[in-house]
Amino acid sequence: MKILLIGRLVISTKLILVLKKTGLNFTTISTETEPISKKIVSNPIFETSNYLGRFYAFLSIPFAKYTRFLFSIPFLTNLLPKSFLEKLTSLFSTEKPDVIIGNWGVGILPEINLLKSLFKLRETPVILNMETFPTGWDSKVREYLELVFLRLSLKNIEGLIIPTNEMYELLLSKGISLDKKIIYKRPFYFPMSYFERSAPEDQQAKYDLIFLGKPDLFRSLNTVQDQLIEIANSGVSIGCSELFQVNHENIHTFKPFNIYDSDFDFLSLSKLYKAALITFNIDNKKPQPPRFETSLPHRFLLPLALKLPVVIPKKGFNGMGKIIEEYKIGFRYDSVQKLKKYLYSIQVEESKSNIYKNKKYLDFNIDSFKEYLEKF
């Protein structure tokens, strides 16, 4: 089977790792609208993924960062002249993929629709990796538009990867017809084996919590300094990226890293901590945005791959919360005092032990994914 993976290169690391584990033949086209740095492209993870280049180097659209969203409406792709698509078509002049995987969510719909407009790929099945739905968190208008674009594009999608039952039920409740689609409905975990390194087995945790997110320059969603400081004020020690620029006796920082940094020893870092904190900067006085009820973000999945217990606020986050409660691998806290009590109790060690005990359920299942792909 020949697979074409399309999506932003820097957020497709998990799928690339999984596809490598399957042993299947796959190529990658990135959908970044601007040139990617040579340092990223030359990373061993991407170098060995048969990277073909950027989608928008083959399809030159003015102001692609913005105008690409027009093609979330499928019929607009038919208005493009064939000469405009010639370079993109030439990619598949000798052979075409057996299946296309789009990563992720509604953000990849423009490229899916454009590929399906090519004569050579019209009959090629497409799998949409939902990962997060809806992707918006602070705009009802954006949520509405995402639903409209998804409904319009469903004809170009034969299968979906839906990580949680909460997301599946939300899609159904919004009138998204899934009965004729081939669904892979289970958490899309990282393969744990990728992160296994030679960290000493008897290494003791030096700090209480690690926060693996990074702050945003233009969005407030990941700017959680106030939460980190509130927890640190209780006496809990926390590690976070130095990009947060916080100064507190109980907060220490480390140099930022990326999941695709193949030479980074994630396991040695994780063994310095008792647990990982998963949180976002959202207003707890308002209803929880659907995105956080349905999705399993990387900052939740990465700690599990590193066999770290996870702690999250008790309000909302039900997709993550159900996994935590089912396997007893962390704690949902409704006060900093209760969080501290958990971190300084035997419970945190029991949570870590439960990750090991339930590894087969919390690791990516390569066999089941290969069986799913064979349905196409």
Side-chain angles (χ1 to χ4, degrees):
M1 175 180 278
K2 296 172 184 174
I3 299 168
L4 172 65
L5 171 63
I6 60 167
R8 287 179 58 201
L9 197 63
V10 296
I11 63 171
S12 296
T13 304
K14 182 171 58 170
L15 271 82
I16 290 172
L17 294 177
V18 165
L19 289 172
K20 283 183 178 182
K21 291 286 182 182
T22 65
L24 296 170
N25 180 1
F26 77 99
T27 55
T28 306
I29 297 177
S30 69
T31 56
E32 276 87 350
T33 54
E34 300 292 334
I36 309 169
S37 77
K38 291 181 179 178
K39 183 179 179 182
I40 291 176
V41 174
S42 63
N43 186 289
I45 289 177
F46 304 132
E47 249 188 346
T48 57
S49 67
N50 195 12
Y51 176 58
L52 299 181
R54 286 191 309 115
F55 189 94
Y56 291 101
F58 299 105
L59 184 67
S60 182
I61 298 177
F63 307 107
K65 182 177 180 180
Y66 306 102
T67 56
R68 60 182 286 273
F69 289 107
L70 291 171
F71 303 108
S72 297
I73 304 171
F75 79 84
L76 291 179
T77 62
N78 300 323
L79 302 179
L80 288 173
K82 288 184 180 179
S83 59
F84 203 62
L85 299 168
E86 194 173 328
K87 236 179 153 182
L88 191 59
T89 304
S90 68
L91 272 176
F92 311 101
S93 57
T94 54
E95 54 184 302
K96 65 176 186 176
D98 297 307
V99 66
I100 297 168
I101 301 178
N103 184 52
W104 47 264
V106 296
I108 195 65
L109 292 179
E111 289 76 25
I112 287 176
N113 292 334
L114 283 162
L115 285 177
K116 290 287 270 192
S117 74
L118 305 181
F119 177 76
K120 275 223 163 206
L121 299 181
R122 266 177 208 164
E123 302 304 317
T124 304
V126 168
I127 300 170
L128 174 61
N129 178 31
M130 292 301 289
E131 200 78 23
T132 299
F133 181 80
T135 58
W137 73 92
D138 60 353
S139 169
K140 291 294 181 183
V141 173
R142 179 170 168 173
E143 284 183 28
Y144 173 77
L145 288 174
E146 287 188 28
L147 281 166
V148 170
F149 294 151
L150 183 57
R151 284 195 193 102
L152 291 172
S153 301
L154 271 182
K155 66 177 184 177
N156 286 333
I157 297 165
E158 284 71 31
L160 295 99
I161 299 169
I162 301 175
T164 66
N165 192 57
E166 287 76 15
M167 187 183 294
Y168 183 83
E169 294 297 332
L170 177 64
L171 288 166
L172 290 179
S173 72
K174 297 296 184 180
I176 302 298
S177 179
L178 300 175
D179 56 320
K180 294 182 180 178
K181 306 300 179 184
I182 305 173
I183 307 294
Y184 186 83
K185 190 173 72 169
R186 61 177 68 196
F188 205 99
Y189 294 114
F190 280 99
M192 285 186 180
S193 60
Y194 174 75
F195 297 101
E196 290 175 354
R197 297 285 179 91
S198 56
E201 286 297 322
D202 59 350
Q203 183 175 324
Q204 295 296 309
K206 186 177 178 182
Y207 307 103
D208 297 320
L209 288 175
I210 184 170
F211 180 72
L212 292 168
K214 297 176 184 177
D216 289 329
L217 293 176
F218 305 106
R219 304 184 302 172
S220 62
L221 181 63
N222 296 316
T223 307
V224 297
Q225 287 95 322
D226 289 347
Q227 291 183 56
L228 298 180
I229 291 171
E230 181 187 8
I231 293 171
N233 282 340
S234 73
V236 172
S237 56
I238 306 173
C240 66
S241 167
E242 64 185 19
L243 296 175
F244 281 98
Q245 298 181 348
V246 289
N247 185 13
H248 193 287
E249 61 180 357
N250 288 327
I251 298 178
H252 79 97
T253 59
F254 46 77
K255 291 191 177 298
F257 55 85
N258 295 297
I259 294 171
Y260 55 80
D261 290 341
S262 55
D263 58 347
F264 188 81
D265 194 341
F266 291 87
L267 200 60
S268 287
L269 176 69
S270 68
K271 288 208 168 193
L272 294 172
Y273 301 89
K274 295 178 182 177
L277 171 68
I278 292 89
T279 192
F280 295 89
N281 182 24
I282 53 178
D283 190 345
N284 286 326
K285 295 177 182 177
K286 296 179 180 179
Q288 187 87 347
R291 167 179 175 165
F292 301 109
E293 295 286 336
T294 65
S295 305
L296 304 177
H298 280 186
R299 71 186 59 173
F300 172 77
L301 297 170
L302 180 58
L304 293 186
L306 298 172
K307 304 178 182 68
L308 264 179
V310 283
V311 298
I312 63 173
K314 191 167 187 177
K315 181 181 177 182
F317 303 110
N318 283 324
M320 292 182 276
K322 285 188 178 178
I323 294 174
I324 290 172
E325 290 170 352
E326 180 178 0
Y327 299 108
K328 296 180 173 56
I329 54 171
F331 186 66
R332 301 177 77 177
Y333 65 93
D334 56 10
S335 71
V336 173
Q337 291 72 28
K338 289 181 181 177
L339 171 60
K340 184 177 180 181
K341 184 178 178 181
Y342 165 79
L343 291 169
Y344 286 83
S345 73
I346 196 172
Q347 276 185 278
V348 73
E349 285 303 320
E350 290 172 349
S351 297
K352 182 183 278 287
S353 176
N354 286 334
I355 295 176
Y356 284 88
K357 287 177 184 176
N358 293 287
K359 179 183 173 183
K360 67 178 180 179
Y361 304 112
L362 301 170
D363 197 0
F364 194 86
N365 190 312
I366 301 297
D367 292 334
S368 72
F369 190 59
K370 287 178 74 171
E371 288 171 10
Y372 172 71
L373 292 176
E374 287 168 5
K375 295 177 182 179
F376 298 90

